[in-house]
Amino acid sequence: MSATVGETAVSLCRGAVMHARATPVRTRFAYRLFFLRIALSRLGPQPVPMLALNRWAPLSFHFRDHGARDGSHPLTWIRALLAREGLGCADGEVVLQTMPRLFGYVFNPVSFWFCHDRAGQLRAVLCEVNNTFGERHDYLVAHADGRLIGDGEWMETRKVFHVSPFFPVSGSYRFRFDRRGDLHAVAIDYHDGGERRLRTRVSGRAETMSRAAAWRALAAHPLMTLAVIARIHVQAFHLWRARVPFFSKPQPPVQEMTR
């Protein structure tokens, strides 16, 4: 899977997110949204139209929201993590797929760090997960031998982090990363007890970040990042009203990352 050829420093992707729950009640919802794909090695030296860096603006990206969360450049952090995990083969571009801050606010349920080799082939994906309790956990998706992750290939990791109170901390996630031209898509399936319990899809069509693209996205979704947290609670209310079993939040895992 090659994801860097033809991409600019920052791409804006307009698309949708979908969740479909299979048990114990069937629910499905889909919302329109936009997100950014940021080539981290190219971020900083040159200004990006309409995207403020580490300062307030209608649309901005802050280093402190990702990686070490201390304001340092995210590329330094992810390079160190890959080296520590024996994934020095992922020494090419790292593309961070995430939502920006809108008018100073953001909540990213999950951001994806696509880590490539120098030939532009995907070697690892770090899935940076945040819950509504202010906690974070990272899932590193990669083959043990560091070989390429194929386009559309399913990858699995065990679930160790509490996200929804309507699912236990057990079972596993299965990830699939697809690119078809300028369309980028991620699938995450949650399996537990021998069955698929949740399907999640996020996809968007990329275009070069420009003032026109940014204004179109902001006009269509001016409160998108606030809507993310609001919709999480609205969906939780519907599940509570449907008497879906509730699981209390456990302590977060001691380790910050699962592979």
Side-chain angles (χ1 to χ4, degrees):
M1 178 180 178
S2 176
T4 60
V5 176
E7 285 195 272
T8 57
V10 179
S11 298
L12 188 150
C13 303
R14 291 195 288 175
V17 61
M18 183 278 296
H19 284 232
R21 173 186 288 264
T23 180
V25 297
R26 290 184 176 274
T27 62
R28 185 184 184 282
F29 64 86
Y31 299 120
R32 306 295 296 177
L33 83 169
F34 73 91
F35 54 86
L36 303 181
R37 286 177 55 86
I38 302 170
L40 293 179
S41 71
R42 288 177 261 174
L43 183 67
Q46 298 295 327
V48 179
M50 283 293 293
L51 182 66
L53 190 62
N54 298 319
R55 60 181 176 83
W56 189 96
L59 196 154
S60 62
F61 175 77
H62 291 248
F63 289 173
R64 70 176 185 269
D65 293 335
H66 302 279
R69 304 204 177 194
D70 60 1
S72 60
H73 199 294
L75 187 60
T76 303
W77 178 83
I78 190 65
R79 292 283 191 227
L81 183 150
L82 293 169
R84 186 172 67 245
E85 293 298 315
L87 291 168
C89 56
D91 55 355
E93 187 62 82
V94 178
V95 178
L96 176 58
Q97 180 173 306
T98 189
M99 285 187 291
R101 286 181 175 263
L102 297 187
F103 303 99
Y105 180 78
V106 70
F107 176 72
N108 270 294
V110 58
S111 298
F112 303 96
W113 305 62
F114 293 91
C115 307
H116 306 87
D117 61 22
R118 293 187 183 183
Q121 299 298 313
L122 187 64
R123 297 281 185 165
V125 181
L126 186 78
C127 305
E128 185 181 66
V129 181
N130 296 285
N131 64 21
T132 56
F133 303 97
E135 299 168 341
R136 163 188 157 187
H137 191 76
D138 298 328
Y139 292 95
L140 181 60
V141 181
H143 290 292
D145 60 2
R147 68 181 184 274
L148 304 180
I149 298 176
D151 194 27
E153 179 181 3
W154 285 101
M155 306 282 288
E156 185 169 357
T157 185
R158 60 193 175 93
K159 178 182 178 180
V160 301
F161 182 58
H162 179 83
V163 177
S164 167
F166 300 99
F167 280 128
V169 180
S170 60
S172 64
Y173 291 118
R174 296 179 185 176
F175 298 88
R176 189 183 71 204
F177 311 102
D178 296 288
R179 179 179 181 178
R180 294 181 293 278
D182 59 358
L183 180 64
H184 300 270
V186 177
I188 307 173
D189 288 356
Y190 170 52
H191 289 249
D192 192 31
E195 62 181 335
R196 184 172 65 181
R197 305 188 66 182
L198 179 70
R199 292 188 302 124
T200 304
R201 305 287 186 271
V202 59
S203 61
R205 196 168 296 279
E207 59 182 308
T208 299
M209 186 71 171
S210 65
R211 292 186 180 278
W215 280 119
R216 285 195 298 268
L218 283 169
H221 309 284
L223 301 177
M224 179 184 71
T225 51
L226 282 171
V228 169
I229 198 75
R231 287 165 174 166
I232 288 172
H233 288 93
V234 168
Q235 293 298 329
F237 172 75
H238 291 322
L239 294 172
W240 172 80
R241 192 174 59 176
R243 300 184 183 277
V244 173
F246 186 93
F247 298 88
S248 298
K249 190 186 84 65
Q251 289 296 314
V254 175
Q255 300 293 328
E256 296 181 353
M257 188 189 73
T258 297
R259 180 175 177 181

